[in-house]
Amino acid sequence: MACSSLDISAECLKLSQRKELPKHVAIIMDGNSRWAKAKGMPRIAGHREGAQSVKRCIKAAIHNNIEWLTLYTFSSENWRRTPEEVSDLTSLLKYYLKYEARQLHKEGIRVRIIGEIDRFDRKLQDEFSAIEQLTKKNNRLTLTLALSYGSRGEIVRAAQRIAEDIQQGNLTIDQVTENVFAKYLFAPDIPDPDMILRTSGECRLSNFLLWQSAYAELIFVDTLWPDFTENHFNAALETYVRRERRFGARPGL
Protein backbone atom coordinates (compact mmCIF):
# COMPACT_ATOMS: atom_id res chain seq x y z
CA MET A 1 0.00 0.00 0.00
CA ALA A 2 1.56 3.30 -1.07
CA CYS A 3 -0.31 5.80 1.10
CA SER A 4 0.27 5.13 4.77
CA SER A 5 -0.24 6.97 8.03
CA LEU A 6 2.71 6.92 10.39
CA ASP A 7 2.79 5.78 13.99
CA ILE A 8 5.27 7.99 15.85
CA SER A 9 6.45 6.05 18.88
CA ALA A 10 9.50 5.24 20.96
CA GLU A 11 9.82 2.04 18.93
CA CYS A 12 10.78 4.15 15.92
CA LEU A 13 13.91 5.30 17.72
CA LYS A 14 15.29 1.74 17.80
CA LEU A 15 15.59 1.35 14.06
CA SER A 16 19.29 0.56 14.17
CA GLN A 17 18.33 -2.78 15.74
CA ARG A 18 15.73 -3.61 13.06
CA LYS A 19 16.00 -5.12 9.59
CA GLU A 20 17.73 -3.34 6.74
CA LEU A 21 17.03 0.36 6.40
CA PRO A 22 17.00 2.23 3.07
CA LYS A 23 20.37 3.34 1.81
CA HIS A 24 18.85 6.21 -0.18
CA VAL A 25 15.90 8.31 0.98
CA ALA A 26 14.41 10.99 -1.27
CA ILE A 27 11.95 13.59 0.00
CA ILE A 28 9.40 15.85 -1.66
CA MET A 29 9.27 18.69 0.86
CA ASP A 30 5.72 19.95 0.45
CA GLY A 31 3.51 22.25 2.51
CA ASN A 32 5.58 25.37 3.22
CA SER A 33 3.05 27.76 1.70
CA ARG A 34 0.05 26.12 3.37
CA TRP A 35 1.85 26.20 6.71
CA ALA A 36 2.45 29.94 6.37
CA LYS A 37 -1.09 30.65 5.14
CA ALA A 38 -2.61 28.77 8.10
CA LYS A 39 -0.62 31.00 10.43
CA GLY A 40 -1.43 34.23 8.58
CA MET A 41 2.20 34.66 7.58
CA PRO A 42 3.85 35.42 4.21
CA ARG A 43 4.93 32.44 2.10
CA ILE A 44 8.61 33.10 2.69
CA ALA A 45 8.06 32.44 6.40
CA GLY A 46 7.01 28.90 5.51
CA HIS A 47 10.11 28.43 3.37
CA ARG A 48 12.34 29.72 6.19
CA GLU A 49 10.76 27.32 8.66
CA GLY A 50 11.09 24.57 6.07
CA ALA A 51 14.84 25.17 6.03
CA GLN A 52 14.89 24.26 9.73
CA SER A 53 13.13 21.00 8.88
CA VAL A 54 15.92 20.28 6.41
CA LYS A 55 18.42 20.47 9.27
CA ARG A 56 16.32 18.11 11.39
CA CYS A 57 15.98 15.72 8.47
CA ILE A 58 19.73 15.65 7.85
CA LYS A 59 20.32 14.96 11.55
CA ALA A 60 17.84 12.07 11.49
CA ALA A 61 19.42 10.63 8.35
CA ILE A 62 22.86 10.65 9.93
CA HIS A 63 21.52 9.16 13.16
CA ASN A 64 20.07 6.24 11.16
CA ASN A 65 23.19 5.77 9.00
CA ILE A 66 21.37 6.67 5.78
CA GLU A 67 24.01 6.97 3.05
CA TRP A 68 22.12 9.10 0.49
CA LEU A 69 19.52 11.81 1.07
CA THR A 70 17.95 13.64 -1.87
CA LEU A 71 15.71 16.67 -1.34
CA TYR A 72 13.35 18.16 -3.94
CA THR A 73 14.41 21.70 -3.17
CA PHE A 74 13.33 23.76 -6.19
CA SER A 75 11.39 22.23 -9.07
CA SER A 76 11.52 23.38 -12.67
CA GLU A 77 7.85 24.32 -12.23
CA ASN A 78 8.77 26.71 -9.40
CA TRP A 79 9.97 29.18 -12.02
CA ARG A 80 6.30 29.76 -12.86
CA ARG A 81 5.64 31.32 -9.46
CA THR A 82 5.49 35.08 -9.04
CA PRO A 83 8.80 36.93 -9.53
CA GLU A 84 8.63 38.00 -5.88
CA GLU A 85 8.37 34.42 -4.59
CA VAL A 86 11.07 33.16 -6.95
CA SER A 87 13.33 35.95 -5.70
CA ASP A 88 12.55 35.05 -2.08
CA LEU A 89 13.28 31.37 -2.72
CA THR A 90 16.57 31.97 -4.49
CA SER A 91 17.68 34.49 -1.84
CA LEU A 92 16.93 31.95 0.89
CA LEU A 93 18.87 29.33 -1.06
CA LYS A 94 21.87 31.66 -1.35
CA TYR A 95 21.75 32.36 2.38
CA TYR A 96 21.49 28.66 3.26
CA LEU A 97 24.38 27.63 1.03
CA LYS A 98 26.60 30.46 2.22
CA TYR A 99 26.08 30.02 5.95
CA GLU A 100 25.53 26.26 6.18
CA ALA A 101 28.28 25.09 3.84
CA ARG A 102 31.02 24.94 6.46
CA GLN A 103 28.75 23.25 8.99
CA LEU A 104 27.78 20.58 6.46
CA HIS A 105 31.46 20.10 5.65
CA LYS A 106 32.33 19.87 9.34
CA GLU A 107 29.75 17.12 9.79
CA GLY A 108 31.26 15.09 6.95
CA ILE A 109 28.38 15.65 4.52
CA ARG A 110 28.98 15.68 0.79
CA VAL A 111 26.68 18.01 -1.17
CA ARG A 112 25.61 17.29 -4.73
CA ILE A 113 23.45 19.47 -6.99
CA ILE A 114 21.28 18.10 -9.79
CA GLY A 115 19.00 19.95 -12.19
CA GLU A 116 19.14 22.71 -14.79
CA ILE A 117 21.38 24.90 -12.69
CA ASP A 118 22.21 27.16 -15.61
CA ARG A 119 18.78 28.77 -15.10
CA PHE A 120 20.05 30.36 -11.88
CA ASP A 121 22.17 33.51 -11.88
CA ARG A 122 25.94 33.19 -12.10
CA LYS A 123 26.53 34.08 -8.44
CA LEU A 124 24.28 31.27 -7.26
CA GLN A 125 25.86 28.85 -9.72
CA ASP A 126 29.21 29.74 -8.19
CA GLU A 127 27.80 28.93 -4.74
CA PHE A 128 26.72 25.52 -6.05
CA SER A 129 30.20 24.82 -7.38
CA ALA A 130 31.85 26.05 -4.19
CA ILE A 131 29.87 23.80 -1.84
CA GLU A 132 30.32 20.78 -4.09
CA GLN A 133 34.05 21.40 -4.25
CA LEU A 134 34.36 21.99 -0.50
CA THR A 135 32.55 18.79 0.45
CA LYS A 136 33.53 16.43 -2.38
CA LYS A 137 35.71 14.15 -0.25
CA ASN A 138 33.18 13.73 2.57
CA ASN A 139 31.50 10.34 2.94
CA ARG A 140 29.31 10.40 6.06
CA LEU A 141 26.19 11.29 4.04
CA THR A 142 25.65 12.43 0.46
CA LEU A 143 23.06 15.20 0.42
CA THR A 144 21.70 15.82 -3.08
CA LEU A 145 19.72 18.99 -3.70
CA ALA A 146 17.41 18.86 -6.72
CA LEU A 147 17.37 22.45 -7.97
CA SER A 148 15.49 23.68 -11.04
CA TYR A 149 14.81 19.98 -11.40
CA GLY A 150 12.11 18.22 -13.40
CA SER A 151 12.27 14.52 -14.15
CA ARG A 152 10.60 14.73 -17.56
CA GLY A 153 13.13 17.36 -18.58
CA GLU A 154 15.93 15.14 -17.28
CA ILE A 155 14.67 12.20 -19.35
CA VAL A 156 14.27 14.33 -22.49
CA ARG A 157 17.79 15.71 -21.99
CA ALA A 158 19.13 12.15 -21.69
CA ALA A 159 17.33 11.09 -24.87
CA GLN A 160 18.74 14.10 -26.74
CA ARG A 161 22.29 13.30 -25.61
CA ILE A 162 21.87 9.68 -26.66
CA ALA A 163 20.56 10.81 -30.07
CA GLU A 164 23.61 13.07 -30.45
CA ASP A 165 25.98 10.20 -29.64
CA ILE A 166 24.21 7.93 -32.12
CA GLN A 167 24.36 10.64 -34.77
CA GLN A 168 28.08 11.13 -34.14
CA GLY A 169 28.77 7.40 -34.31
CA ASN A 170 29.70 7.05 -30.64
CA LEU A 171 26.75 4.78 -29.91
CA THR A 172 24.45 2.43 -31.83
CA ILE A 173 20.72 1.98 -31.30
CA ASP A 174 21.26 -1.64 -30.23
CA GLN A 175 23.57 -0.47 -27.44
CA VAL A 176 20.85 1.63 -25.81
CA THR A 177 19.74 -0.43 -22.82
CA GLU A 178 18.20 0.67 -19.52
CA ASN A 179 21.65 0.73 -17.93
CA VAL A 180 23.09 2.80 -20.76
CA PHE A 181 20.15 5.22 -20.71
CA ALA A 182 20.59 5.74 -16.96
CA LYS A 183 24.18 6.87 -17.53
CA TYR A 184 22.84 9.93 -19.38
CA LEU A 185 20.79 11.19 -16.41
CA PHE A 186 21.99 14.07 -14.22
CA ALA A 187 23.87 11.94 -11.66
CA PRO A 188 24.21 8.33 -12.82
CA ASP A 189 26.52 7.48 -9.92
CA ILE A 190 23.79 8.15 -7.35
CA PRO A 191 21.84 4.95 -6.60
CA ASP A 192 18.10 4.85 -7.13
CA PRO A 193 16.11 5.79 -4.02
CA ASP A 194 14.84 2.95 -1.88
CA MET A 195 12.20 5.18 -0.34
CA ILE A 196 10.45 8.36 -1.48
CA LEU A 197 8.62 10.38 1.16
CA ARG A 198 6.22 13.23 0.50
CA THR A 199 4.80 15.51 3.15
CA SER A 200 1.54 17.56 3.27
CA GLY A 201 -0.92 14.78 2.41
CA GLU A 202 -0.48 14.93 -1.37
CA CYS A 203 -0.07 11.49 -2.97
CA ARG A 204 1.87 12.09 -6.17
CA LEU A 205 5.49 12.36 -7.37
CA SER A 206 5.15 15.75 -9.07
CA ASN A 207 7.82 15.15 -11.72
CA PHE A 208 10.42 13.96 -9.21
CA LEU A 209 12.85 11.11 -9.99
CA LEU A 210 10.38 9.35 -12.31
CA TRP A 211 12.99 7.06 -13.85
CA GLN A 212 14.83 6.41 -10.59
CA SER A 213 11.70 5.70 -8.51
CA ALA A 214 10.59 2.62 -10.47
CA TYR A 215 10.97 0.34 -7.44
CA ALA A 216 11.04 2.85 -4.60
CA GLU A 217 8.71 2.46 -1.64
CA LEU A 218 6.37 5.47 -1.62
CA ILE A 219 5.33 6.95 1.71
CA PHE A 220 2.93 9.89 1.98
CA VAL A 221 2.29 11.72 5.23
CA ASP A 222 -0.15 14.48 6.21
CA THR A 223 2.43 16.56 8.09
CA LEU A 224 3.33 19.88 6.46
CA TRP A 225 7.05 20.16 5.81
CA PRO A 226 7.78 22.94 8.36
CA ASP A 227 6.33 20.67 11.07
CA PHE A 228 8.41 17.67 10.00
CA THR A 229 10.61 16.35 12.83
CA GLU A 230 13.15 13.60 13.46
CA ASN A 231 10.35 11.48 14.88
CA HIS A 232 8.43 11.79 11.62
CA PHE A 233 11.55 10.68 9.74
CA ASN A 234 12.00 7.71 12.08
CA ALA A 235 8.33 6.79 11.70
CA ALA A 236 8.71 6.77 7.90
CA LEU A 237 11.66 4.42 8.25
CA GLU A 238 9.57 2.21 10.51
CA THR A 239 6.92 2.00 7.80
CA TYR A 240 9.61 1.14 5.25
CA VAL A 241 11.09 -1.76 7.24
CA ARG A 242 7.63 -3.29 7.68
CA ARG A 243 7.23 -3.65 3.93
CA GLU A 244 8.38 -6.55 1.78
CA ARG A 245 10.26 -5.39 -1.29
CA ARG A 246 9.86 -7.94 -4.09
CA PHE A 247 10.84 -5.97 -7.22
CA GLY A 248 8.13 -7.73 -9.23
CA ALA A 249 8.94 -11.23 -7.96
CA ARG A 250 6.45 -13.51 -6.27
CA PRO A 251 6.60 -13.89 -2.48
CA GLY A 252 9.28 -16.33 -1.44
CA LEU A 253 11.26 -16.04 -4.69
Side-chain angles (χ1 to χ4, degrees):
M1 183 176 180
C3 262
S4 176
S5 60
L6 302 184
D7 174 27
I8 302 173
S9 64
E11 182 182 8
C12 297
L13 303 179
K14 301 177 182 178
L15 288 166
S16 60
Q17 302 172 11
R18 302 296 299 276
K19 61 189 241 186
E20 186 175 353
L21 293 174
K23 291 181 172 61
H24 183 180
V25 174
I27 302 179
I28 302 171
M29 306 178 293
D30 193 21
N32 290 342
S33 297
R34 274 173 280 172
W35 183 91
K37 183 178 180 180
K39 295 182 179 298
M41 303 169 72
R43 285 190 172 192
I44 189 60
H47 297 307
R48 289 197 188 101
E49 192 62 31
Q52 299 306 309
S53 294
V54 169
K55 294 180 183 180
R56 294 192 292 267
C57 185
I58 291 172
K59 182 178 179 181
I62 290 174
H63 178 79
N64 287 289
N65 297 315
I66 304 299
E67 297 176 23
W68 305 80
L69 177 65
T70 298
L71 304 179
Y72 202 7
T73 311
F74 189 100
S75 75
S76 54
E77 287 81 8
N78 284 159
W79 292 110
R80 301 173 188 169
R81 298 189 178 187
T82 65
E84 293 77 16
E85 186 172 4
V86 170
S87 178
D88 286 341
L89 285 168
T90 53
S91 294
L92 181 61
L93 185 56
K94 287 178 184 177
Y95 178 88
Y96 182 83
L97 292 176
K98 181 177 181 179
Y99 290 99
E100 296 296 331
R102 294 197 177 280
Q103 183 61 34
L104 292 170
H105 180 50
K106 182 179 178 180
E107 293 177 2
I109 297 169
R110 183 185 183 188
V111 178
R112 300 283 299 277
I113 309 292
I114 61 171
E116 299 175 340
I117 61 173
D118 57 345
R119 296 187 67 177
F120 293 99
D121 64 55
R122 174 52 60 184
K123 186 174 181 180
L124 193 47
Q125 291 181 51
D126 289 342
E127 293 287 351
F128 297 156
S129 297
I131 195 169
E132 285 189 308
Q133 183 66 23
L134 175 67
T135 64
K136 68 178 182 179
K137 294 183 179 180
N138 296 337
N139 56 18
R140 191 179 187 188
L141 168 72
T142 297
L143 172 65
T144 304
L145 303 179
L147 296 168
S148 188
Y149 175 85
S151 191
R152 286 183 172 181
E154 177 184 28
I155 291 170
V156 168
R157 172 182 173 272
Q160 291 172 335
R161 292 177 61 207
I162 288 173
E164 288 175 359
D165 276 351
I166 291 174
Q167 194 174 47
Q168 294 170 7
N170 299 322
L171 192 68
T172 67
I173 293 176
D174 291 341
Q175 290 176 319
V176 182
T177 63
E178 289 184 13
N179 288 336
V180 169
F181 189 94
K183 292 178 181 179
Y184 286 81
L185 299 175
F186 282 128
D189 59 312
I190 296 177
D192 291 345
D194 302 296
M195 180 182 103
I196 293 183
L197 167 71
R198 180 172 185 150
T199 59
S200 87
E202 303 292 344
C203 297
R204 57 180 178 272
L205 290 176
S206 294
N207 203 18
F208 181 55
L209 300 180
L210 300 180
W211 176 278
Q212 299 89 335
S213 67
Y215 286 101
E217 294 296 322
L218 307 181
I219 297 175
F220 303 98
V221 300
D222 292 333
T223 308
L224 298 177
W225 179 247
D227 292 325
F228 195 80
T229 66
E230 291 179 59
N231 276 357
H232 288 102
F233 189 94
N234 290 333
L237 295 182
E238 178 69 19
T239 297
Y240 174 88
V241 299
R242 288 174 179 169
R243 295 183 182 178
E244 182 180 356
R245 304 187 75 200
R246 295 191 294 271
F247 302 97
R250 296 176 183 172
L253 294 181

